[in-house]
Amino acid sequence: MVNYQEALDWIHSREKFKVKPGLDRMEWMMERVGHPEKSINAIHIAGTNGKGSTLSFLRELLQAQGCTVGTFTSPYIVRFNERISMNGEPISDEHLSNLVERVKPVAEELAKTPLGEPTEFEVITAMSMMYFADQSPDFVLYETGLGGLYDSTNIIHPTVSIITNIGKDHMNILGDTYEQIASEKAGIIKKGVPVICGAKQPEAIQVIRDKADEEGAEMFLLGEQFHASHTTSSKAGETFQYDSKDDGTLSLISGMKGVHQVDNASLAVKTMDVLRRKGWSFDRDLYAEAIKETKWPARFETVLDDPVVIIDGAHNEEGTKALVETLKSHYEDKRITLVYSALEDKPVRRMLEILSEVVDCAYMTTFDFPRALSANQLKNLSPIEQTTGVEDYEQAIEQAVSQVDPDDLLLVTGSLYFISEVRKYFESKRNIW
């Protein structure tokens, strides 16, 4: 019997096989374990930003209707088990260990074929499909790991597909134009399966529309078939009007702050309405409370109140722009201190330039992760005049907290992997501060 730590160690040992595009290994494994992906009622979510938030809104909306909902997300924020969850509850250690026992011999057999070793993400995806096939939830929400077309989640045939938006991230793999990236994301579109889209760039929209037409998939575009109008930002969140040509108007409040969350919430609401058209008996009167109650860790999350400390996983240019706009909307009068760490394959200088619009004082730091830039490297990239480099991120946070006035704000952002470590750190300090 494999124990939990042994199971985790084995999963992480797959990391050395990195990204290996293509679905051949997934299809081979699914064949060996009885095609669990064929028994899952899935909704597939791709996009540069907003996948996790859209998934969270949708999970709350479905659960409010009494549905059981599985979710597959990445990366995790606090604990690995979060990646495979049921109704928001991470998979148990025992279930995860049992799944490793089942999938390990299949992965070892696959390694002996010309297809080679499965990657860590492929193994976790396979495990999730086996788990959800066993549990039989009403819906499973699948977030792509990278791109869409060759992502290991793309072996599912979903009920609905969602493409949240298109931005320039992972360009070394997905391409460096909006058209190329949109083509990868549009790869999740399946024959006859409706697709809900929040893309903004005309060139990206055209690529997605062409793919939808090719597959005979009805496309619902934010700004055309349905609309979201933001009205006010307040302590409660973002008030907005949702309007659909087919389904009417709703007045809603997103408890998740940021105008960009209005788009994510609207994509989730439109998905519910498309499912209603497909025969699900959903009560629209329950939508408002579900949208208001939605939370997602490390998305503009307050982890300390005195002083106010906000963490946010703004790990690319689009996410950083959204973060800055949210700060302007909700904390325009605050002096903002930044603690920041990022990976070397990101446009760090540009992201720090964007942050410099609102940040008064910055601490650059690092953490134990491959490709993490050093505090000194980040300091040299920073355009923020008052920038200090502190190698130990816990020391950086402690120094920053001690310098922030009670009426001001400390922002911790950068790599999602960094934010995962930071969130655990604040959890451990909850009873001290």
Side-chain angles (χ1 to χ4, degrees):
M1 174 71 182
V2 177
N3 67 36
Y4 175 70
Q5 191 55 52
E6 288 169 341
L8 269 191
D9 290 345
W10 181 80
I11 291 168
H12 293 322
S13 74
R14 311 293 92 200
E15 197 274 337
K16 64 178 175 286
F17 302 111
K18 303 294 182 184
V19 176
K20 294 162 83 172
L23 300 177
D24 291 347
R25 286 173 302 282
M26 281 302 300
E27 288 166 352
W28 192 98
M29 286 193 287
M30 291 297 98
E31 173 72 28
R32 290 302 187 279
V33 296
H35 285 293
E37 81 283 5
K38 292 184 177 177
S39 63
I40 295 169
N41 183 30
I43 294 170
H44 204 184
I45 307 172
T48 303
N49 294 93
K51 295 188 294 293
S53 298
T54 302
L55 176 145
S56 297
F57 283 120
L58 188 51
R59 183 185 66 210
E60 289 290 338
L61 285 162
L62 288 166
Q63 286 184 215
Q65 305 291 334
C67 297
T68 54
V69 186
T71 53
F72 180 73
T73 58
S74 61
Y76 64 92
I77 300 298
V78 177
R79 200 160 183 262
F80 180 86
N81 301 41
E82 295 165 30
R83 299 189 66 170
I84 303 172
S85 297
M86 281 284 291
N87 287 345
E89 288 296 316
I91 187 173
S92 70
D93 293 356
E94 183 182 3
H95 265 122
L96 190 132
S97 299
N98 288 339
L99 286 166
V100 165
E101 280 206 329
R102 290 167 61 189
V103 82
K104 187 171 181 242
V106 176
E108 288 170 348
E109 188 184 350
L110 174 56
K112 296 172 185 174
T113 74
L115 295 173
E117 294 265 12
T119 66
E120 178 178 2
F121 191 74
E122 287 169 340
V123 163
I124 302 163
T125 306
M127 287 167 55
S128 75
M129 291 171 178
M130 294 158 70
Y131 178 69
F132 294 130
D134 292 344
Q135 299 295 314
S136 299
D138 296 311
F139 291 91
V140 181
L141 313 182
Y142 263 93
E143 185 184 319
T144 60
L146 181 64
L149 179 62
Y150 297 115
D151 189 79
S152 61
T153 61
N154 205 28
I155 59 166
I156 58 175
H157 192 90
T159 301
V160 179
S161 302
I162 304 170
I163 299 173
T164 58
N165 58 25
I166 304 298
K168 291 186 175 180
D169 198 9
H170 301 296
M171 290 186 288
N172 57 323
I173 297 169
L174 303 180
D176 57 7
T177 68
Y178 289 123
E179 292 97 330
Q180 288 172 320
I181 296 168
S183 181
E184 290 291 326
K185 309 290 185 190
I188 71 165
I189 299 172
K190 304 294 194 304
K191 195 167 290 296
V193 175
V195 58
I196 294 149
C197 180
K200 296 283 200 289
Q201 305 89 350
E203 60 270 43
I205 291 168
Q206 192 58 54
V207 168
I208 296 165
R209 199 190 302 278
D210 288 347
K211 178 63 174 176
D213 289 345
E214 180 187 325
E215 297 293 344
E218 190 173 8
M219 180 170 161
F220 300 91
L221 180 65
L222 179 60
E224 286 190 7
Q225 286 75 27
F226 64 109
H227 300 264
S229 305
H230 179 260
T231 51
T232 56
S233 297
S234 68
K235 195 170 183 180
E238 311 297 343
T239 303
F240 68 102
Q241 194 94 341
Y242 168 86
D243 183 62
S244 166
K245 291 179 181 178
D246 300 321
D247 304 286
T249 300
L250 294 168
S251 294
L252 302 167
I253 299 173
S254 163
M256 292 176 68
K257 291 178 180 172
V259 176
H260 59 289
Q261 296 295 3
V262 169
D263 287 354
N264 295 329
S266 298
L267 293 170
V269 170
K270 186 60 186 178
T271 303
M272 293 294 288
D273 285 339
V274 168
L275 290 169
R276 284 173 76 237
R277 288 175 54 194
K278 291 171 79 71
W280 289 82
S281 300
F282 294 152
D283 180 355
R284 287 183 109 231
D285 291 340
L286 300 177
Y287 288 10
E289 186 66 18
I291 293 295
K292 192 174 181 181
E293 291 302 311
T294 299
K295 296 178 178 64
W296 187 235
R299 270 53 169 195
F300 210 78
E301 180 183 11
T302 302
V303 291
L304 195 66
D305 293 315
D306 185 18
V308 174
V309 178
I310 289 172
I311 63 173
D312 190 276
H315 61 285
N316 56 30
E317 190 173 330
E318 284 77 15
T320 305
K321 286 176 181 174
L323 170 59
V324 166
E325 290 308 310
T326 305
L327 288 164
K328 288 177 179 177
S329 298
H330 289 273
Y331 294 101
E332 193 173 23
D333 59 336
K334 300 283 189 185
R335 176 179 167 82
I336 296 174
T337 297
L338 170 70
V339 175
Y340 190 82
S341 188
L343 305 185
E344 64 185 12
D345 57 349
K346 299 292 182 176
V348 173
R349 189 186 295 277
R350 176 61 188 139
M351 292 192 291
L352 287 170
E353 284 171 359
I354 295 164
L355 285 164
S356 70
E357 294 177 33
V358 293
V359 168
D360 300 281
C361 166
Y363 291 83
M364 299 292 125
T365 190
T366 192
F367 65 116
D368 184 16
F369 192 83
R371 299 179 287 120
L373 290 165
S374 71
N376 198 49
Q377 286 173 313
L378 286 165
K379 183 183 176 184
N380 290 336
L381 290 168
S382 175
I384 300 159
E385 189 172 330
Q386 197 176 333
T387 296
T388 304
V390 181
E391 283 296 322
D392 185 305
Y393 77 86
E394 293 187 4
Q395 287 182 18
I397 291 169
E398 285 163 14
Q399 281 188 41
V401 168
S402 70
Q403 296 298 315
V404 176
D405 290 337
D407 291 336
D408 292 329
L409 182 148
L410 174 60
L411 169 69
V412 188
T413 190
S415 163
L416 263 174
Y417 299 102
F418 172 57
I419 296 304
S420 173
E421 295 300 313
V422 168
R423 198 173 189 274
K424 284 183 273 192
Y425 170 77
F426 275 99
E427 285 285 335
S428 71
K429 298 288 185 181
R430 190 174 294 280
N431 296 325
I432 300 172
W433 282 340

